[in-house]
Structures are given as C-alpha cells and as structure tokens.
Amino acid sequence: MLTNKMTNLIKKIPIDGVTLGIGDVSRATGVAQSKLRYWESKGYIQSRTVTDNSNRKFTYKTMLQVQLIKSYLADGYTLTSAVKQARQRDVYLDALRSFFEDRFINLEVTDHTAMVDLGQFDPDPTKHLVAKREATGWHFQLVDAEN
C-alpha cells in the first residue's frame, strides 16, 4: 500500500524542476547534440540558460519530448509532423498527470488486485470513487469515505 506520505511525495515531484545538460539528453535519447541545437533553433524544443548564459539545461519533460520526436521520425514522420505529434502527445500526458495529481489519493496492491482511490465522489461527498483491478478488468465502485 502507498502511504499518504509516499502519495504526497509522488504528487510533488517537480518534473519541470529536474534539468539535464545537452550531453545528458543526447546520451539518454541517442539524438546528437548538433541535432538538439538545431531543433532548439527551430523552436521545436526549449532549453533553459544557466548563469553564464552558455550552458543549455533541458527539463526532464523536454527530454521526453526529444524521445517522442525521435520515435516519430523513426516511424517515418517528417520533422515538422513528428514535432506536431509529440506536442499533441504532450497535451494528453499533461492531462493525465493533472488528473492523477488532483485525484489520486491511495493505491493498494495485492497479489491479484489493485485498488486506486480517486478521492471524493462529487455528487456524494461521503463516498470515494475507487477503481479496482481484478482478473476480469477494471471496475469502479463507491466506498464510504474514511475520516
């Protein structure tokens, strides 16, 4: 079971606060530094400049974008189309991350089931909406809120 302390820690991980140098992004993604600089010059990715105005720092989120662009290029997309697809995927991932940051309360896992507490059920504040994974798939139920 994830405790409230762990749940709060997961929710507070500053995905945009983790930064990597251009060499780190290049090694992690397999995209050459020169290509990363080119993508940045075209506005496809963005870096942050550190104090001496010469070193590029990329967020973890940008590194994931680079990986997505590379994947779309490998699938045969043009660079412009790959960037467009990666940006659209980013919108979806942001929505999912926001949903879990706002609604995720607790996770309990046993050998054969998982139960995710999604918090207060809006029409009835005395209940929580719970998603339960069983052998037959995911099922939703309302349970009494614990005070």
Short mmCIF file of all heavy atoms in Angstrom, two decimals, residues 20-42 44-47 54-58 62-63 66 70 79:
data_model
loop_
_atom_site.label_atom_id
_atom_site.label_comp_id
_atom_site.label_asym_id
_atom_site.label_seq_id
_atom_site.Cartn_x
_atom_site.Cartn_y
_atom_site.Cartn_z
N LEU A 20 18.74 18.65 -17.12
CA LEU A 20 19.85 17.85 -17.65
C LEU A 20 20.63 18.68 -18.65
O LEU A 20 20.04 19.49 -19.38
CB LEU A 20 19.30 16.60 -18.36
CG LEU A 20 18.36 15.73 -17.55
CD1 LEU A 20 17.52 14.88 -18.47
CD2 LEU A 20 19.15 14.86 -16.61
N GLY A 21 21.91 18.44 -18.74
CA GLY A 21 22.73 19.10 -19.75
C GLY A 21 22.47 18.50 -21.12
O GLY A 21 21.90 17.42 -21.25
N ILE A 22 22.91 19.19 -22.15
CA ILE A 22 22.68 18.74 -23.51
C ILE A 22 23.34 17.38 -23.77
O ILE A 22 22.79 16.53 -24.46
CB ILE A 22 23.13 19.80 -24.55
CG1 ILE A 22 22.58 19.44 -25.93
CG2 ILE A 22 24.63 19.99 -24.53
CD1 ILE A 22 22.72 20.56 -26.96
N GLY A 23 24.50 17.15 -23.17
CA GLY A 23 25.17 15.86 -23.32
C GLY A 23 24.38 14.73 -22.68
O GLY A 23 24.30 13.64 -23.22
N ASP A 24 23.78 15.02 -21.52
CA ASP A 24 22.95 14.02 -20.84
C ASP A 24 21.73 13.66 -21.69
O ASP A 24 21.39 12.49 -21.82
CB ASP A 24 22.48 14.54 -19.48
CG ASP A 24 23.62 14.81 -18.53
OD1 ASP A 24 24.60 14.03 -18.54
OD2 ASP A 24 23.53 15.79 -17.77
N VAL A 25 21.09 14.68 -22.27
CA VAL A 25 19.91 14.43 -23.10
C VAL A 25 20.32 13.64 -24.34
O VAL A 25 19.63 12.70 -24.74
CB VAL A 25 19.21 15.76 -23.49
CG1 VAL A 25 18.10 15.52 -24.49
CG2 VAL A 25 18.67 16.46 -22.25
N SER A 26 21.45 14.01 -24.91
CA SER A 26 21.94 13.30 -26.10
C SER A 26 22.21 11.83 -25.80
O SER A 26 21.79 10.94 -26.54
CB SER A 26 23.21 13.98 -26.61
OG SER A 26 23.73 13.30 -27.72
N ARG A 27 22.89 11.57 -24.69
CA ARG A 27 23.19 10.17 -24.31
C ARG A 27 21.93 9.39 -24.00
O ARG A 27 21.79 8.23 -24.38
CB ARG A 27 24.15 10.14 -23.12
CG ARG A 27 25.60 10.35 -23.48
CD ARG A 27 26.53 10.14 -22.29
NE ARG A 27 26.34 11.13 -21.23
CZ ARG A 27 26.82 12.36 -21.25
NH1 ARG A 27 27.51 12.79 -22.28
NH2 ARG A 27 26.61 13.17 -20.23
N ALA A 28 21.01 10.02 -23.30
CA ALA A 28 19.78 9.32 -22.88
C ALA A 28 18.86 9.01 -24.06
O ALA A 28 18.17 8.00 -24.05
CB ALA A 28 19.03 10.15 -21.84
N THR A 29 18.85 9.87 -25.07
CA THR A 29 17.92 9.71 -26.18
C THR A 29 18.56 9.17 -27.46
O THR A 29 17.86 8.70 -28.35
CB THR A 29 17.24 11.05 -26.52
OG1 THR A 29 18.24 11.98 -26.95
CG2 THR A 29 16.45 11.58 -25.34
N GLY A 30 19.88 9.28 -27.54
CA GLY A 30 20.56 8.87 -28.77
C GLY A 30 20.45 9.90 -29.88
O GLY A 30 20.74 9.61 -31.04
N VAL A 31 20.05 11.12 -29.55
CA VAL A 31 19.96 12.21 -30.53
C VAL A 31 21.22 13.06 -30.37
O VAL A 31 21.55 13.50 -29.27
CB VAL A 31 18.68 13.07 -30.29
CG1 VAL A 31 18.66 14.25 -31.24
CG2 VAL A 31 17.44 12.20 -30.47
N ALA A 32 21.91 13.30 -31.48
CA ALA A 32 23.16 14.06 -31.46
C ALA A 32 22.95 15.47 -30.92
O ALA A 32 21.90 16.08 -31.13
CB ALA A 32 23.75 14.13 -32.86
N GLN A 33 23.97 15.97 -30.23
CA GLN A 33 23.89 17.32 -29.68
C GLN A 33 23.66 18.36 -30.77
O GLN A 33 22.89 19.31 -30.57
CB GLN A 33 25.17 17.66 -28.91
CG GLN A 33 25.32 16.89 -27.62
CD GLN A 33 26.54 17.30 -26.82
OE1 GLN A 33 26.93 18.47 -26.83
NE2 GLN A 33 27.15 16.35 -26.13
N SER A 34 24.26 18.18 -31.92
CA SER A 34 24.06 19.14 -33.03
C SER A 34 22.60 19.15 -33.47
O SER A 34 22.05 20.21 -33.79
CB SER A 34 24.97 18.79 -34.21
OG SER A 34 24.71 17.47 -34.67
N LYS A 35 21.97 17.99 -33.46
CA LYS A 35 20.56 17.91 -33.83
C LYS A 35 19.69 18.57 -32.76
O LYS A 35 18.72 19.27 -33.08
CB LYS A 35 20.15 16.44 -34.00
CG LYS A 35 18.87 16.26 -34.77
CD LYS A 35 18.61 14.80 -35.07
CE LYS A 35 19.45 14.38 -36.25
NZ LYS A 35 19.09 13.06 -36.78
N LEU A 36 20.04 18.39 -31.50
CA LEU A 36 19.31 19.05 -30.43
C LEU A 36 19.41 20.57 -30.55
O LEU A 36 18.42 21.29 -30.38
CB LEU A 36 19.83 18.60 -29.06
CG LEU A 36 19.58 17.14 -28.69
CD1 LEU A 36 20.32 16.77 -27.41
CD2 LEU A 36 18.10 16.86 -28.56
N ARG A 37 20.61 21.08 -30.88
CA ARG A 37 20.79 22.51 -31.07
C ARG A 37 19.94 23.01 -32.25
O ARG A 37 19.34 24.09 -32.19
CB ARG A 37 22.26 22.85 -31.30
CG ARG A 37 23.11 22.73 -30.05
CD ARG A 37 24.55 23.21 -30.29
NE ARG A 37 25.40 22.77 -29.23
CZ ARG A 37 26.15 21.66 -29.24
NH1 ARG A 37 26.15 20.87 -30.30
NH2 ARG A 37 26.88 21.34 -28.20
N TYR A 38 19.90 22.21 -33.31
CA TYR A 38 19.10 22.58 -34.48
C TYR A 38 17.62 22.62 -34.10
O TYR A 38 16.92 23.58 -34.43
CB TYR A 38 19.35 21.60 -35.62
CG TYR A 38 18.45 21.85 -36.82
CD1 TYR A 38 18.68 22.93 -37.67
CD2 TYR A 38 17.36 21.03 -37.08
CE1 TYR A 38 17.86 23.17 -38.76
CE2 TYR A 38 16.53 21.26 -38.16
CZ TYR A 38 16.79 22.34 -39.00
OH TYR A 38 15.96 22.58 -40.06
N TRP A 39 17.14 21.59 -33.42
CA TRP A 39 15.74 21.55 -33.02
C TRP A 39 15.41 22.75 -32.14
O TRP A 39 14.34 23.33 -32.25
CB TRP A 39 15.42 20.25 -32.30
CG TRP A 39 15.46 19.02 -33.16
CD1 TRP A 39 15.73 18.96 -34.51
CD2 TRP A 39 15.23 17.69 -32.75
NE1 TRP A 39 15.67 17.66 -34.94
CE2 TRP A 39 15.36 16.85 -33.87
CE3 TRP A 39 14.92 17.10 -31.52
CZ2 TRP A 39 15.19 15.47 -33.82
CZ3 TRP A 39 14.77 15.72 -31.46
CH2 TRP A 39 14.89 14.92 -32.61
N GLU A 40 16.35 23.09 -31.27
CA GLU A 40 16.13 24.24 -30.39
C GLU A 40 16.08 25.53 -31.22
O GLU A 40 15.23 26.39 -30.97
CB GLU A 40 17.23 24.32 -29.34
CG GLU A 40 17.03 25.44 -28.35
CD GLU A 40 18.14 25.55 -27.34
OE1 GLU A 40 19.22 24.97 -27.53
OE2 GLU A 40 17.91 26.25 -26.34
N SER A 41 16.97 25.67 -32.19
CA SER A 41 16.98 26.89 -33.01
C SER A 41 15.69 27.05 -33.81
O SER A 41 15.28 28.17 -34.12
CB SER A 41 18.18 26.89 -33.96
OG SER A 41 17.99 25.98 -35.04
N LYS A 42 15.05 25.94 -34.13
CA LYS A 42 13.78 25.97 -34.87
C LYS A 42 12.57 26.12 -33.94
O LYS A 42 11.44 26.25 -34.39
CB LYS A 42 13.61 24.69 -35.70
CG LYS A 42 14.60 24.58 -36.84
CD LYS A 42 14.32 25.67 -37.85
CE LYS A 42 15.16 25.51 -39.07
NZ LYS A 42 14.94 26.59 -40.03
N TYR A 44 11.53 23.81 -31.82
CA TYR A 44 10.88 22.52 -31.58
C TYR A 44 11.03 22.06 -30.14
O TYR A 44 10.17 21.37 -29.61
CB TYR A 44 11.43 21.46 -32.52
CG TYR A 44 11.21 21.75 -33.99
CD1 TYR A 44 12.13 21.34 -34.94
CD2 TYR A 44 10.07 22.41 -34.44
CE1 TYR A 44 11.92 21.59 -36.30
CE2 TYR A 44 9.85 22.67 -35.78
CZ TYR A 44 10.79 22.25 -36.70
OH TYR A 44 10.58 22.51 -38.03
N ILE A 45 12.15 22.40 -29.53
CA ILE A 45 12.39 22.12 -28.11
C ILE A 45 12.95 23.40 -27.49
O ILE A 45 13.41 24.29 -28.21
CB ILE A 45 13.35 20.93 -27.88
CG1 ILE A 45 14.71 21.19 -28.50
CG2 ILE A 45 12.73 19.63 -28.37
CD1 ILE A 45 15.77 20.14 -28.17
N GLN A 46 12.91 23.46 -26.19
CA GLN A 46 13.41 24.65 -25.49
C GLN A 46 14.37 24.23 -24.38
O GLN A 46 14.21 23.17 -23.78
CB GLN A 46 12.27 25.44 -24.88
CG GLN A 46 11.33 26.02 -25.90
CD GLN A 46 10.17 26.75 -25.25
OE1 GLN A 46 9.96 26.69 -24.05
NE2 GLN A 46 9.41 27.45 -26.08
N SER A 47 15.35 25.09 -24.16
CA SER A 47 16.26 24.88 -23.05
C SER A 47 16.18 26.07 -22.12
O SER A 47 15.58 27.09 -22.45
CB SER A 47 17.70 24.71 -23.56
OG SER A 47 18.18 25.94 -24.08
N SER A 54 25.77 30.32 -21.26
CA SER A 54 26.33 29.49 -22.33
C SER A 54 25.91 28.03 -22.23
O SER A 54 25.92 27.34 -23.23
CB SER A 54 27.86 29.59 -22.33
OG SER A 54 28.37 29.08 -21.11
N ASN A 55 25.59 27.57 -21.06
CA ASN A 55 25.21 26.17 -20.90
C ASN A 55 23.71 26.00 -21.06
O ASN A 55 22.92 26.74 -20.48
CB ASN A 55 25.63 25.65 -19.52
CG ASN A 55 27.12 25.52 -19.40
OD1 ASN A 55 27.82 25.30 -20.39
ND2 ASN A 55 27.63 25.67 -18.20
N ARG A 56 23.33 24.99 -21.83
CA ARG A 56 21.92 24.67 -22.01
C ARG A 56 21.52 23.64 -20.97
O ARG A 56 22.23 22.66 -20.75
CB ARG A 56 21.69 24.08 -23.39
CG ARG A 56 21.82 25.03 -24.52
CD ARG A 56 21.67 24.27 -25.84
NE ARG A 56 21.65 25.16 -26.97
CZ ARG A 56 22.73 25.62 -27.57
NH1 ARG A 56 23.92 25.27 -27.15
NH2 ARG A 56 22.62 26.43 -28.60
N LYS A 57 20.38 23.84 -20.38
CA LYS A 57 19.79 22.86 -19.48
C LYS A 57 18.39 22.55 -19.99
O LYS A 57 17.63 23.44 -20.33
CB LYS A 57 19.72 23.39 -18.04
CG LYS A 57 21.07 23.55 -17.38
CD LYS A 57 21.71 22.22 -17.10
CE LYS A 57 23.03 22.40 -16.38
NZ LYS A 57 23.69 21.12 -16.14
N PHE A 58 18.10 21.27 -20.07
CA PHE A 58 16.80 20.82 -20.55
C PHE A 58 16.05 20.16 -19.41
O PHE A 58 16.65 19.46 -18.60
CB PHE A 58 16.98 19.81 -21.70
CG PHE A 58 17.61 20.40 -22.91
CD1 PHE A 58 18.99 20.37 -23.08
CD2 PHE A 58 16.84 20.97 -23.91
CE1 PHE A 58 19.58 20.92 -24.20
CE2 PHE A 58 17.42 21.52 -25.04
CZ PHE A 58 18.80 21.49 -25.19
N THR A 62 11.32 17.95 -21.39
CA THR A 62 11.87 18.18 -22.73
C THR A 62 12.61 16.95 -23.24
O THR A 62 12.53 16.60 -24.42
CB THR A 62 12.79 19.42 -22.74
OG1 THR A 62 12.03 20.56 -22.35
CG2 THR A 62 13.39 19.66 -24.12
N MET A 63 13.31 16.26 -22.34
CA MET A 63 13.99 15.04 -22.75
C MET A 63 12.98 14.01 -23.26
O MET A 63 13.22 13.32 -24.25
CB MET A 63 14.81 14.44 -21.61
CG MET A 63 15.62 13.23 -22.07
SD MET A 63 16.43 12.35 -20.74
CE MET A 63 15.03 11.60 -19.94
N VAL A 66 12.00 15.00 -26.72
CA VAL A 66 13.04 14.61 -27.68
C VAL A 66 12.89 13.14 -28.04
O VAL A 66 12.96 12.76 -29.22
CB VAL A 66 14.45 14.90 -27.11
CG1 VAL A 66 15.54 14.24 -27.94
CG2 VAL A 66 14.68 16.41 -27.00
N LYS A 70 12.03 11.69 -31.76
CA LYS A 70 12.89 10.67 -32.36
C LYS A 70 12.08 9.44 -32.77
O LYS A 70 12.27 8.88 -33.85
CB LYS A 70 14.00 10.27 -31.38
CG LYS A 70 14.92 9.19 -31.91
CD LYS A 70 15.92 8.76 -30.87
CE LYS A 70 16.73 7.58 -31.39
NZ LYS A 70 17.54 6.99 -30.35
N LEU A 79 10.12 15.87 -39.82
CA LEU A 79 10.45 16.51 -38.55
C LEU A 79 9.30 17.40 -38.07
O LEU A 79 8.91 17.34 -36.90
CB LEU A 79 11.74 17.33 -38.67
CG LEU A 79 12.19 18.07 -37.42
CD1 LEU A 79 12.36 17.12 -36.23
CD2 LEU A 79 13.49 18.83 -37.69
#
